[in-house]
Amino acid sequence: MWFYLALVAALLAYSWISKRYSYWTARGVPTVSGIFPLGNLVGIGRRHMAFMIRDCYRKLKTSGKKFGGIYFFVNPVVLALDLDFVKDVLVKDFQYFHDRGVYYNEKDDPLSAHLISLDGFKWKNLRTKLTPTFTSGKMKMMYSTITAVGERMQVHLADEIKPGDPIEIRDFLARFTTDIIGSCAFGLECNSLVDPETMFRQMSRKAFITTPVQFLKAMFGLTFRDLARKMGMRLFRKDVSDFFMGVVRDTIEYRERNKVNRNDFMDLLIKLKNAEPLEEGSENLGPLTFNEIAAQAFLFFLAGFETSSTTLSYCMYELARNPDIQDKARKSVSEVLKQHGSMSYEAVQDMKYLECCINGENHSANIFRDITMNYKVPNSGVILEKGHRVAIPVYGIHHDPEYYPHPETFNPDRFTPEQSANRHPMAFLPFGEGPRNCIGLRFGMLQTKVGLAYLLQKFRFKPTARTPSPLKIAPSNVIMSPEGGLWLKVEKVE
């Protein structure tokens, strides 16, 4: 009796799984076969997801179709193959794809309910409130804080240089961006350039440590969000959450009690908490709650600290390996500073070649969008069903020889305004595109350029025997960050 019940259950499970994995074939969509239970994510945790999706993109692009079909676990996922289709998803038909589908849990894990993860009206309302905090005028307001950290970075890097000893530049740059974001987002002098083991630096490292268990939890939440919320699943460790919530609470109480104004991101969030307009004559959209403020400050920290330090690390690695390009970048910094007389906001804006260098070493992974309404693909009989997801293979597109000949070669000149104008606007998506693009793109580029300018102004970088070649990518991190240390020889430039 039990044998037959088990047999029937096994047959039903096999039939259901087979039907799931034939979803795209039944609709005439080119697909890469999925393997139960991971679908096209076999090897996840050992190899970065960006490489897996890039491989699927390369296989399916030869079909000549706008999109293909892949599987995350047993769930069908649309894989964008055509840049016009990417534009439809991110911009033209945004109303069908306005959610990212990122897991968050406002009740059990309030820091997870930030601008990137929120859906629908909650996202739209918060985005409208936060947009005025990232204007060029607000960036100018915070600029002196950024350059103050840049100047300290020069001093501390000079102190760390010892003849014959390379410097682990990746951790050093993470300390630089930690001090900037800690000051701008939380109003704290973190001093991690002086002391790498400050509590703020320890907690920032913990926030980004991704164990295999944590990675599987994140993937589970991404795939089964409602179930994960019912289970009370958290993305962030409780000690990390308690620390950052406490910092935000203490900062707000201190500033309001002592009427302190520092012209930083926290000041702007406090104004939003009190329903004060950020711009003269701007609409009052209602106050932010304390949890909303804490989540946005935490997001600003996560997005601004890790992505910028990682981008700087990649850039320094390639500049060290390409001394002619490094010399050209240093010369461009020198010429702009000579023209402006100082490292002013306007001077950094004029350092166009640095921007080309930064763009030349961008390691964005993927963009995901949920299908929020059934969507008929233009000039196609296929309807993309509500509840499924679209994956845009950003890393695959950025390394596609159709758009970037010899894509593995570091070549900043391919990002000059003239070269960029000749490419499809969706061929380069470091900050996304459309209404859900990165709200902090100005700040991210600004602090990265400032860091690069201060580094090249006073120092020369060279590879050593300890410099990895090629760089290995940490397989479990959300962003594409190098695995292990990045050791470079650093010399002073007279």
Side-chain angles (χ1 to χ4, degrees), residues 154 330 333 337 343 452-459 493:
Q154 280 187 337
R330 184 176 295 105
V333 171
L337 289 179
M343 193 78 73
L452 189 54
Y454 274 111
L455 290 169
L456 293 175
Q457 182 190 25
K458 294 289 181 70
F459 306 99
V493 174

Side-chain angles (χ1 to χ4, degrees), residues 31-35 38-42 52 56 69-73:
T31 184
V32 179
S33 299
I35 300 174
L38 297 176
N40 296 114
L41 300 179
V42 175
M52 299 179 182
C56 292
I70 57 176
Y71 299 91
F72 289 178
F73 299 96

Side-chain angles (χ1 to χ4, degrees), residues 153 169-170 172-174 176-177 180 305-319 358 361 444-445 447-455 482 486 488:
M153 176 183 68
I169 201 72
R170 184 185 169 208
F172 184 83
L173 294 174
F176 163 68
T177 55
I180 288 179
F305 138 69
E306 180 71 5
T307 54
S308 293
S309 66
T310 299
T311 300
L312 268 172
S313 296
Y314 282 126
C315 199
M316 297 315 303
Y317 174 77
E318 290 295 347
L319 289 175
I358 293 165
E361 209 36 46
M445 181 57 77
Q447 74 164 343
T448 305
K449 285 175 72 175
V450 167
L452 189 54
Y454 274 111
L455 290 169
L486 177 56
L488 298 176

Side-chain angles (χ1 to χ4, degrees), residues 106-107 110-111 113 245 249 288-297:
E106 289 176 285
K107 179 176 175 288
L111 290 186
M245 295 280 279
R249 185 177 291 105
L288 289 181
T289 66
F290 169 76
N291 280 359
E292 287 175 328
I293 286 179
Q296 305 332 304

